[in-house]
Amino acid sequence: SITEETVELLEPYLDMEDYNLETAKKVCGNVAGLCSWTQAMAYFYGINKEVLPLKANLTLQEGRLAAAQMELNNAQLQLNEKQMELDQVQAMYDSAMKEKQALLNDAEACRRKMNNASALIEGLGGEKLRWIASSKSFQNQIISLVGNVLLATGFLSYSGPFNQEYRNLLLQLWKKEMDNSKIPYSNDLNLTGMLVDNGTVGEWNLQGLPNDDLSIQNGIIVTKSSRYPLLIDPQGQGKIWIKNKEKNNGLQV
């Protein structure tokens, strides 16, 4: 209820030097409180004069804020709906892309299989002649198997005491007898290759057996014969080999 006119009427009093709380206290405590109250009300009016427009503006802005907030909420609801639709579409898209990738992978796998199959067919076509030759060779081996085994067993049983020259002579004599008896055998028969593999020969060489044909044949006779071998070994090569070969088996010398 304080007006600007009231404040203007008070100003001459408020500007007086003795119109203050300390001077009023000297006169009367109640007068001091009334003096202080009038000063405070005048000051409040000046502050409130600036605050009222701000309050009015605050109310206006709060209304605008409420309206904007309502619009924001509506927009947020629409955004949420669109986001749900987008998520659904994205899920459909991801599923379609996954299916597409799976189809591409299957297609690529099929393409690789087709290429491999084509390469295999081409390769097999080139191997046809070799297979025919190998099949013929296998057939000849089957026919010659009895004679080859007979030569191998004869070699193991009887050629041990002789040197390389007499061993070759024995084989030639046996082949002549087999020809007379019409027993088939392989003309290019390699007894060493038939009775032992290259890996075993290499292991024997590492154990001290010499690499010449005679020594390898002796090694075959020692390991394949059913009887105990007697080694005529003036150079000690066979002894060294047997010691190394049977070292892990606990050979007692």
Side-chain angles (χ1 to χ4, degrees):
S1 63
I2 299 175
T3 64
E4 184 175 359
E5 182 181 2
T6 304
V7 175
E8 290 178 355
L9 292 173
L10 275 174
E11 282 182 0
Y13 300 98
L14 296 175
D15 293 337
M16 292 180 179
E17 294 181 0
D18 58 350
Y19 194 89
N20 52 62
L21 181 62
E22 289 75 14
T23 305
K25 281 183 178 180
K26 297 178 182 179
V27 178
C28 177
N30 294 333
V31 172
L34 183 60
C35 176
S36 176
W37 180 78
T38 55
Q39 289 178 329
M41 288 301 98
Y43 179 73
F44 170 78
Y45 175 79
I47 298 299
N48 197 43
K49 186 178 180 180
E50 298 178 2
V51 171
L52 285 176
L54 296 177
K55 286 184 177 181
N57 187 47
L58 175 62
T59 303
L60 178 62
Q61 298 303 327
E62 286 178 346
R64 292 180 178 177
L65 175 62
Q69 188 65 45
M70 183 175 296
E71 293 180 1
L72 176 61
N73 293 337
N74 293 333
Q76 186 64 45
L77 291 175
Q78 294 180 2
L79 176 62
N80 293 339
E81 293 177 358
K82 298 302 179 182
Q83 185 64 46
M84 291 178 62
E85 295 177 2
L86 176 62
D87 292 342
Q88 293 176 356
V89 174
Q90 185 67 41
M92 294 173 61
Y93 172 78
D94 293 341
S95 177
M97 290 301 295
K98 185 176 181 181
E99 183 177 358
K100 175 186 175 182
Q101 189 61 43
L103 293 174
L104 289 175
N105 293 339
D106 290 343
E108 182 63 24
C110 290
R111 189 177 296 107
R112 287 198 301 268
K113 290 179 181 179
M114 289 176 61
N115 292 336
N116 293 338
S118 299
L120 179 60
I121 291 173
E122 293 176 0
L124 294 179
E127 292 290 314
K128 182 178 180 180
L129 296 177
R130 189 181 67 83
W131 284 356
I132 294 174
S134 297
S135 177
K136 186 176 181 180
S137 175
F138 292 152
Q139 188 66 30
N140 293 335
Q141 289 180 18
I142 293 173
I143 295 174
S144 305
L145 183 61
V146 174
N148 293 344
V149 172
L150 182 58
L151 289 173
T153 53
F155 170 79
L156 290 174
S157 300
Y158 298 107
S159 64
F162 304 110
N163 61 17
Q164 189 69 61
E165 180 180 357
Y166 281 99
R167 289 179 182 180
N168 293 334
L169 179 61
L170 279 175
L171 286 174
Q172 296 302 323
L173 293 174
W174 291 341
K175 289 180 179 179
K176 186 179 295 185
E177 291 294 332
M178 292 170 67
D179 289 335
N180 295 333
S181 301
K182 297 183 178 181
I183 300 174
Y185 61 90
S186 299
N187 293 323
D188 57 349
L189 176 65
N190 182 355
L191 288 176
T192 300
M194 181 178 178
L195 294 173
V196 70
D197 59 85
N198 293 331
T200 302
V201 172
E203 186 176 356
W204 288 351
N205 297 149
L206 293 175
Q207 292 166 348
L209 184 70
N211 197 29
D212 59 279
D213 291 339
L214 181 64
S215 298
I216 294 174
Q217 290 179 359
N218 290 339
I220 293 173
I221 295 172
V222 168
T223 56
K224 300 293 184 181
S225 176
S226 60
R227 294 174 294 180
Y228 293 109
L230 172 64
L231 271 65
I232 302 171
D233 187 31
Q235 296 179 350
Q237 295 173 332
K239 180 177 66 175
I240 294 172
W241 170 58
I242 290 179
K243 283 184 177 181
N244 292 331
K245 184 177 184 299
E246 300 298 329
K247 181 178 180 180
N248 295 331
N249 296 327
L251 176 67
Q252 300 294 322
V253 181

